[in-house]
Amino acid sequence: MHINISPTKTEVAKNFSDYLEELIKENKTTHIALSGGSTPKVVFDYMSEHYKDVDWSTVHLYWGDERCVPPTDSESNYKMTVDHLLSKINIPKDNIHRVRGEDLPELEAGRYGKVLEEELPIVESIPQFDLVILGMGDDGHTASIFPHEIGLWDSTNNCEVAIHPDSGQRRITITGKLINNAKMVAFLVTGSSKAEKVRSIITKEEGHESYPASLVAPSSGELIWFLDEEAAAQIN
């Protein structure tokens, strides 16, 4: 595990963008699972403005989770990515593999799981991303696997339908086997509200296993946390 701490959310965006640019340069093709949330939004804005030389034609983009809403809905992770990144860069449409949040959730989970099998290299009988980008909620959830449904992590399926514990909103999420089969996994976590869970998971406090984010342990050993000082305050 590597921990990268930056003073501000903007600096997190810069450091992660540097990391991502190098990864794309090193690979002939790069398969990336994107995350929603406020921190990726800052990253997308930063990259689209400051990293004009990235060859996006070599990059294939997927989503680690998506809300079951149309792609034009303000809650859609896909729409957020379009607004803050895709509309500002030159990337082939065929390289964008969105979750169809408008379709029947159970059917879409199955369809998207097959897309991942068709598009990604298969390693140890599991589709393999070059990079999975993850956020973490205040409750310790990651992707859309929440503490009350932590069993979804161990699903034999590539994708599952998750239910938000408060709103009841249905979501499509990749499962633990894909996350931990990735070549690299990067957490983007900012803000003081995340500090307690960050401390618990990184220091492996008693009870940390109840948080889905604690189950992220790629078999490659390549796990990196990009934190701002507020999120990292309790591990310094």
PDB file of all heavy atoms in Angstrom, residues 180-203:
ATOM      1  N   ASN A 180     -10.186  -6.400  -7.008  1.00  0.00           N
ATOM      2  CA  ASN A 180      -8.927  -6.963  -6.510  1.00  0.00           C
ATOM      3  C   ASN A 180      -8.124  -7.686  -7.586  1.00  0.00           C
ATOM      4  O   ASN A 180      -6.979  -8.087  -7.339  1.00  0.00           O
ATOM      5  CB  ASN A 180      -9.195  -7.890  -5.323  1.00  0.00           C
ATOM      6  CG  ASN A 180      -9.448  -7.112  -4.046  1.00  0.00           C
ATOM      7  OD1 ASN A 180      -9.098  -5.938  -3.947  1.00  0.00           O
ATOM      8  ND2 ASN A 180     -10.049  -7.763  -3.055  1.00  0.00           N
ATOM      9  N   ASN A 181      -8.690  -7.837  -8.785  1.00  0.00           N
ATOM     10  CA  ASN A 181      -7.936  -8.420  -9.902  1.00  0.00           C
ATOM     11  C   ASN A 181      -7.280  -7.349 -10.756  1.00  0.00           C
ATOM     12  O   ASN A 181      -6.538  -7.666 -11.686  1.00  0.00           O
ATOM     13  CB  ASN A 181      -8.868  -9.276 -10.767  1.00  0.00           C
ATOM     14  CG  ASN A 181      -8.107 -10.243 -11.666  1.00  0.00           C
ATOM     15  OD1 ASN A 181      -7.210 -10.947 -11.208  1.00  0.00           O
ATOM     16  ND2 ASN A 181      -8.477 -10.295 -12.939  1.00  0.00           N
ATOM     17  N   ALA A 182      -7.552  -6.078 -10.456  1.00  0.00           N
ATOM     18  CA  ALA A 182      -6.985  -4.981 -11.247  1.00  0.00           C
ATOM     19  C   ALA A 182      -5.469  -4.909 -11.069  1.00  0.00           C
ATOM     20  O   ALA A 182      -4.930  -5.257 -10.018  1.00  0.00           O
ATOM     21  CB  ALA A 182      -7.608  -3.660 -10.828  1.00  0.00           C
ATOM     22  N   LYS A 183      -4.795  -4.423 -12.112  1.00  0.00           N
ATOM     23  CA  LYS A 183      -3.347  -4.226 -11.999  1.00  0.00           C
ATOM     24  C   LYS A 183      -3.026  -3.185 -10.942  1.00  0.00           C
ATOM     25  O   LYS A 183      -2.047  -3.306 -10.206  1.00  0.00           O
ATOM     26  CB  LYS A 183      -2.764  -3.795 -13.347  1.00  0.00           C
ATOM     27  CG  LYS A 183      -2.698  -4.893 -14.389  1.00  0.00           C
ATOM     28  CD  LYS A 183      -2.005  -4.379 -15.642  1.00  0.00           C
ATOM     29  CE  LYS A 183      -1.917  -5.457 -16.703  1.00  0.00           C
ATOM     30  NZ  LYS A 183      -1.264  -4.934 -17.938  1.00  0.00           N
ATOM     31  N   MET A 184      -3.867  -2.138 -10.881  1.00  0.00           N
ATOM     32  CA  MET A 184      -3.668  -1.075  -9.901  1.00  0.00           C
ATOM     33  C   MET A 184      -5.024  -0.578  -9.422  1.00  0.00           C
ATOM     34  O   MET A 184      -5.980  -0.528 -10.191  1.00  0.00           O
ATOM     35  CB  MET A 184      -2.890   0.098 -10.498  1.00  0.00           C
ATOM     36  CG  MET A 184      -1.467  -0.225 -10.877  1.00  0.00           C
ATOM     37  SD  MET A 184      -0.633   1.200 -11.611  1.00  0.00           S
ATOM     38  CE  MET A 184      -0.010   0.461 -13.107  1.00  0.00           C
ATOM     39  N   VAL A 185      -5.088  -0.202  -8.156  1.00  0.00           N
ATOM     40  CA  VAL A 185      -6.294   0.389  -7.587  1.00  0.00           C
ATOM     41  C   VAL A 185      -5.890   1.685  -6.888  1.00  0.00           C
ATOM     42  O   VAL A 185      -4.904   1.716  -6.140  1.00  0.00           O
ATOM     43  CB  VAL A 185      -6.987  -0.554  -6.581  1.00  0.00           C
ATOM     44  CG1 VAL A 185      -8.220   0.126  -5.980  1.00  0.00           C
ATOM     45  CG2 VAL A 185      -7.374  -1.871  -7.250  1.00  0.00           C
ATOM     46  N   ALA A 186      -6.643   2.740  -7.152  1.00  0.00           N
ATOM     47  CA  ALA A 186      -6.356   4.040  -6.535  1.00  0.00           C
ATOM     48  C   ALA A 186      -7.596   4.572  -5.839  1.00  0.00           C
ATOM     49  O   ALA A 186      -8.655   4.704  -6.451  1.00  0.00           O
ATOM     50  CB  ALA A 186      -5.882   5.041  -7.585  1.00  0.00           C
ATOM     51  N   PHE A 187      -7.471   4.854  -4.553  1.00  0.00           N
ATOM     52  CA  PHE A 187      -8.519   5.548  -3.804  1.00  0.00           C
ATOM     53  C   PHE A 187      -8.286   7.048  -3.934  1.00  0.00           C
ATOM     54  O   PHE A 187      -7.166   7.539  -3.773  1.00  0.00           O
ATOM     55  CB  PHE A 187      -8.447   5.196  -2.318  1.00  0.00           C
ATOM     56  CG  PHE A 187      -9.246   3.990  -1.912  1.00  0.00           C
ATOM     57  CD1 PHE A 187      -8.599   2.821  -1.521  1.00  0.00           C
ATOM     58  CD2 PHE A 187     -10.624   4.018  -1.889  1.00  0.00           C
ATOM     59  CE1 PHE A 187      -9.324   1.703  -1.119  1.00  0.00           C
ATOM     60  CE2 PHE A 187     -11.368   2.919  -1.488  1.00  0.00           C
ATOM     61  CZ  PHE A 187     -10.710   1.752  -1.103  1.00  0.00           C
ATOM     62  N   LEU A 188      -9.369   7.803  -4.209  1.00  0.00           N
ATOM     63  CA  LEU A 188      -9.341   9.260  -4.151  1.00  0.00           C
ATOM     64  C   LEU A 188     -10.271   9.674  -3.022  1.00  0.00           C
ATOM     65  O   LEU A 188     -11.494   9.544  -3.136  1.00  0.00           O
ATOM     66  CB  LEU A 188      -9.832   9.862  -5.467  1.00  0.00           C
ATOM     67  CG  LEU A 188      -9.050   9.518  -6.743  1.00  0.00           C
ATOM     68  CD1 LEU A 188      -9.707  10.177  -7.947  1.00  0.00           C
ATOM     69  CD2 LEU A 188      -7.608   9.977  -6.617  1.00  0.00           C
ATOM     70  N   VAL A 189      -9.694  10.149  -1.914  1.00  0.00           N
ATOM     71  CA  VAL A 189     -10.498  10.433  -0.725  1.00  0.00           C
ATOM     72  C   VAL A 189     -10.080  11.786  -0.159  1.00  0.00           C
ATOM     73  O   VAL A 189      -8.902  12.001   0.143  1.00  0.00           O
ATOM     74  CB  VAL A 189     -10.321   9.335   0.346  1.00  0.00           C
ATOM     75  CG1 VAL A 189     -11.221   9.619   1.543  1.00  0.00           C
ATOM     76  CG2 VAL A 189     -10.630   7.953  -0.226  1.00  0.00           C
ATOM     77  N   THR A 190     -11.062  12.669  -0.023  1.00  0.00           N
ATOM     78  CA  THR A 190     -10.764  14.003   0.513  1.00  0.00           C
ATOM     79  C   THR A 190     -11.838  14.408   1.514  1.00  0.00           C
ATOM     80  O   THR A 190     -12.956  13.916   1.487  1.00  0.00           O
ATOM     81  CB  THR A 190     -10.703  15.060  -0.609  1.00  0.00           C
ATOM     82  OG1 THR A 190     -11.960  15.108  -1.295  1.00  0.00           O
ATOM     83  CG2 THR A 190      -9.599  14.746  -1.603  1.00  0.00           C
ATOM     84  N   GLY A 191     -11.458  15.322   2.419  1.00  0.00           N
ATOM     85  CA  GLY A 191     -12.416  15.890   3.356  1.00  0.00           C
ATOM     86  C   GLY A 191     -12.343  15.294   4.747  1.00  0.00           C
ATOM     87  O   GLY A 191     -12.057  14.117   4.934  1.00  0.00           O
ATOM     88  N   SER A 192     -12.626  16.118   5.740  1.00  0.00           N
ATOM     89  CA  SER A 192     -12.506  15.708   7.145  1.00  0.00           C
ATOM     90  C   SER A 192     -13.521  14.635   7.530  1.00  0.00           C
ATOM     91  O   SER A 192     -13.277  13.858   8.462  1.00  0.00           O
ATOM     92  CB  SER A 192     -12.672  16.932   8.058  1.00  0.00           C
ATOM     93  OG  SER A 192     -13.925  17.563   7.832  1.00  0.00           O
ATOM     94  N   SER A 193     -14.649  14.580   6.807  1.00  0.00           N
ATOM     95  CA  SER A 193     -15.669  13.586   7.156  1.00  0.00           C
ATOM     96  C   SER A 193     -15.201  12.159   6.892  1.00  0.00           C
ATOM     97  O   SER A 193     -15.801  11.206   7.396  1.00  0.00           O
ATOM     98  CB  SER A 193     -16.959  13.853   6.380  1.00  0.00           C
ATOM     99  OG  SER A 193     -16.772  13.659   4.993  1.00  0.00           O
ATOM    100  N   LYS A 194     -14.131  12.011   6.120  1.00  0.00           N
ATOM    101  CA  LYS A 194     -13.620  10.671   5.796  1.00  0.00           C
ATOM    102  C   LYS A 194     -12.482  10.233   6.733  1.00  0.00           C
ATOM    103  O   LYS A 194     -12.051   9.088   6.695  1.00  0.00           O
ATOM    104  CB  LYS A 194     -13.089  10.648   4.352  1.00  0.00           C
ATOM    105  CG  LYS A 194     -14.031  11.234   3.309  1.00  0.00           C
ATOM    106  CD  LYS A 194     -15.255  10.392   3.096  1.00  0.00           C
ATOM    107  CE  LYS A 194     -16.198  11.022   2.088  1.00  0.00           C
ATOM    108  NZ  LYS A 194     -15.692  11.024   0.727  1.00  0.00           N
ATOM    109  N   ALA A 195     -11.995  11.150   7.565  1.00  0.00           N
ATOM    110  CA  ALA A 195     -10.764  10.901   8.326  1.00  0.00           C
ATOM    111  C   ALA A 195     -10.867   9.690   9.244  1.00  0.00           C
ATOM    112  O   ALA A 195      -9.923   8.891   9.362  1.00  0.00           O
ATOM    113  CB  ALA A 195     -10.384  12.144   9.126  1.00  0.00           C
ATOM    114  N   GLU A 196     -11.998   9.533   9.926  1.00  0.00           N
ATOM    115  CA  GLU A 196     -12.138   8.412  10.870  1.00  0.00           C
ATOM    116  C   GLU A 196     -12.066   7.070  10.162  1.00  0.00           C
ATOM    117  O   GLU A 196     -11.366   6.153  10.611  1.00  0.00           O
ATOM    118  CB  GLU A 196     -13.460   8.538  11.626  1.00  0.00           C
ATOM    119  CG  GLU A 196     -13.666   7.416  12.645  1.00  0.00           C
ATOM    120  CD  GLU A 196     -15.024   7.495  13.324  1.00  0.00           C
ATOM    121  OE1 GLU A 196     -15.743   8.496  13.135  1.00  0.00           O
ATOM    122  OE2 GLU A 196     -15.362   6.539  14.031  1.00  0.00           O
ATOM    123  N   LYS A 197     -12.779   6.942   9.034  1.00  0.00           N
ATOM    124  CA  LYS A 197     -12.774   5.668   8.299  1.00  0.00           C
ATOM    125  C   LYS A 197     -11.414   5.412   7.658  1.00  0.00           C
ATOM    126  O   LYS A 197     -10.943   4.281   7.614  1.00  0.00           O
ATOM    127  CB  LYS A 197     -13.874   5.668   7.226  1.00  0.00           C
ATOM    128  CG  LYS A 197     -15.291   5.743   7.787  1.00  0.00           C
ATOM    129  CD  LYS A 197     -15.663   4.541   8.614  1.00  0.00           C
ATOM    130  CE  LYS A 197     -17.141   4.518   8.978  1.00  0.00           C
ATOM    131  NZ  LYS A 197     -17.577   5.657   9.815  1.00  0.00           N
ATOM    132  N   VAL A 198     -10.773   6.471   7.166  1.00  0.00           N
ATOM    133  CA  VAL A 198      -9.428   6.317   6.597  1.00  0.00           C
ATOM    134  C   VAL A 198      -8.489   5.745   7.649  1.00  0.00           C
ATOM    135  O   VAL A 198      -7.741   4.783   7.398  1.00  0.00           O
ATOM    136  CB  VAL A 198      -8.896   7.659   6.055  1.00  0.00           C
ATOM    137  CG1 VAL A 198      -7.395   7.573   5.772  1.00  0.00           C
ATOM    138  CG2 VAL A 198      -9.647   8.065   4.788  1.00  0.00           C
ATOM    139  N   ARG A 199      -8.529   6.320   8.852  1.00  0.00           N
ATOM    140  CA  ARG A 199      -7.673   5.829   9.939  1.00  0.00           C
ATOM    141  C   ARG A 199      -7.981   4.373  10.266  1.00  0.00           C
ATOM    142  O   ARG A 199      -7.072   3.537  10.381  1.00  0.00           O
ATOM    143  CB  ARG A 199      -7.886   6.684  11.191  1.00  0.00           C
ATOM    144  CG  ARG A 199      -6.974   6.304  12.364  1.00  0.00           C
ATOM    145  CD  ARG A 199      -7.509   6.830  13.683  1.00  0.00           C
ATOM    146  NE  ARG A 199      -8.709   6.096  14.101  1.00  0.00           N
ATOM    147  CZ  ARG A 199      -9.834   6.674  14.534  1.00  0.00           C
ATOM    148  NH1 ARG A 199      -9.924   8.001  14.606  1.00  0.00           N
ATOM    149  NH2 ARG A 199     -10.864   5.942  14.903  1.00  0.00           N
ATOM    150  N   SER A 200      -9.254   4.058  10.417  1.00  0.00           N
ATOM    151  CA  SER A 200      -9.662   2.709  10.795  1.00  0.00           C
ATOM    152  C   SER A 200      -9.198   1.673   9.782  1.00  0.00           C
ATOM    153  O   SER A 200      -8.683   0.610  10.148  1.00  0.00           O
ATOM    154  CB  SER A 200     -11.185   2.648  10.944  1.00  0.00           C
ATOM    155  OG  SER A 200     -11.611   1.343  11.278  1.00  0.00           O
ATOM    156  N   ILE A 201      -9.361   1.992   8.497  1.00  0.00           N
ATOM    157  CA  ILE A 201      -9.026   1.030   7.446  1.00  0.00           C
ATOM    158  C   ILE A 201      -7.525   0.902   7.260  1.00  0.00           C
ATOM    159  O   ILE A 201      -6.987  -0.208   7.183  1.00  0.00           O
ATOM    160  CB  ILE A 201      -9.722   1.438   6.131  1.00  0.00           C
ATOM    161  CG1 ILE A 201     -11.235   1.230   6.264  1.00  0.00           C
ATOM    162  CG2 ILE A 201      -9.173   0.645   4.951  1.00  0.00           C
ATOM    163  CD1 ILE A 201     -12.043   1.858   5.163  1.00  0.00           C
ATOM    164  N   ILE A 202      -6.824   2.027   7.204  1.00  0.00           N
ATOM    165  CA  ILE A 202      -5.380   1.972   6.946  1.00  0.00           C
ATOM    166  C   ILE A 202      -4.615   1.374   8.124  1.00  0.00           C
ATOM    167  O   ILE A 202      -3.651   0.624   7.944  1.00  0.00           O
ATOM    168  CB  ILE A 202      -4.857   3.370   6.566  1.00  0.00           C
ATOM    169  CG1 ILE A 202      -5.345   3.731   5.157  1.00  0.00           C
ATOM    170  CG2 ILE A 202      -3.322   3.423   6.644  1.00  0.00           C
ATOM    171  CD1 ILE A 202      -4.914   5.096   4.665  1.00  0.00           C
ATOM    172  N   THR A 203      -5.063   1.671   9.343  1.00  0.00           N
ATOM    173  CA  THR A 203      -4.358   1.125  10.516  1.00  0.00           C
ATOM    174  C   THR A 203      -4.947  -0.215  10.968  1.00  0.00           C
ATOM    175  O   THR A 203      -4.473  -0.784  11.941  1.00  0.00           O
ATOM    176  CB  THR A 203      -4.400   2.114  11.691  1.00  0.00           C
ATOM    177  OG1 THR A 203      -5.760   2.291  12.119  1.00  0.00           O
ATOM    178  CG2 THR A 203      -3.809   3.457  11.293  1.00  0.00           C
TER     179      THR A 203
END
